[in-house]
Amino acid sequence: YVDVPANIQAVVDFATSIWHTALNATIPITIKVKWESLDCTPGGSCVLGSTSTNLEGLGGLGGYDYPTSLANQLNDTDYSWNPDIVFTLNSEFPDFYVGLDGNCPSDELDLVSVALHEIGHGLGFASSVYSSPWNGFGDNYYNSFIQIGDANGGTAMDDVEWSTSVESNNLFWNGAHAIAANGGDMPAIFAPNPYQPGSSISHMDDSSPSISSNILMRPSLSDGQVIHSPSVVDMGVLEDLGW
């Protein structure tokens, strides 16, 4: 923890205990948490949290890059002396509910849900797409599961297809475990127009009728909303990735 008040540490500890129960991890996952000011628009929205995810290239696993936390599990090793996940919570946001009981008031935002969400990004729910127009597919394994449209039997996109679809509102996750958890339908990926830095592609589109669960990895959290466990679809995505 870096400059994190004790009551906020208790919230993050609680969130990590939830993930500890959900995951079948054999290698310890190290997390660095910072309590710093993040962007807020006057009279508008605030960035609640921000996650940095290190990627490891594993040539023996399809040549893809995996988040360090997952790469360690897959190869039964520890690839870095640095923390596997680093995330920042917004110290300037005035309306965090820091209770652990899920009784978040309707005019506050539940910090347990935010911490769970940020850890989810560090576990692999992140595309590494940081700009629009699309600046190259890269080798992030997460991206290999994303396709245009929800037609069964579709395939992952190449660079050309990516460049025309990042803002299409028509991207879906084509991974067997997530599809099964979503009742047989491919869950929609958040791909709005215009592109939203830090949010596009790295979340499920919970406004889509294709989504059947109360998704943790959604683009935003509403006042009073409480999500204290990843949904079966969230877990399906992580299982597709290799957890």
Side-chain angles (χ1 to χ4, degrees), residues 20 71 90 119 199:
H20 176 77
N90 192 348
I119 294 170
S199 191

Side-chain angles (χ1 to χ4, degrees), residues 8-50:
I8 306 301
Q9 291 187 31
V11 170
V12 176
D13 287 345
F14 183 69
T16 61
S17 71
I18 294 171
W19 276 117
H20 176 77
T21 300
L23 292 176
N24 185 23
T26 56
I27 304 296
I29 301 167
T30 58
I31 303 175
K32 180 178 182 178
V33 185
K34 298 185 286 185
W35 181 247
E36 297 177 357
S37 176
L38 296 174
D39 290 341
C40 280
T41 303
S45 62
C46 283
V47 175
L48 303 177
S50 177

Side-chain angles (χ1 to χ4, degrees), residues 96-214:
F96 276 137
Y97 177 67
V98 298
L100 309 181
D101 55 11
N103 295 321
C104 182
S106 60
D107 59 349
E108 296 183 11
L109 284 172
D110 185 62
L111 188 57
V112 171
S113 302
V114 174
L116 277 172
H117 178 101
E118 296 306 326
I119 294 170
H121 283 309
L123 295 173
F125 215 114
S127 72
S128 302
V129 177
Y130 296 122
S131 63
S132 178
W134 172 249
N135 62 356
F137 172 73
D139 296 318
N140 187 344
Y141 191 43
Y142 175 97
N143 294 334
S144 71
F145 289 94
I146 297 175
Q147 73 169 53
I148 303 171
D150 60 356
N152 290 331
T155 58
M157 297 181 291
D158 60 24
D159 277 348
V160 174
E161 291 169 321
W162 266 109
S163 68
T164 60
S165 63
V166 170
E167 300 173 322
S168 68
N169 276 303
N170 192 35
L171 297 183
F172 292 82
W173 183 267
N174 189 11
H177 293 100
I179 291 172
N182 198 46
D185 295 323
M186 278 183 281
I189 293 293
F190 187 60
N193 189 357
Y195 176 85
Q196 295 183 19
S199 191
S200 290
I201 319 301
S202 293
H203 296 90
M204 290 292 179
D205 185 358
D206 61 303
S207 67
S208 169
S210 72
I211 302 291
S212 62
S213 299
N214 191 26

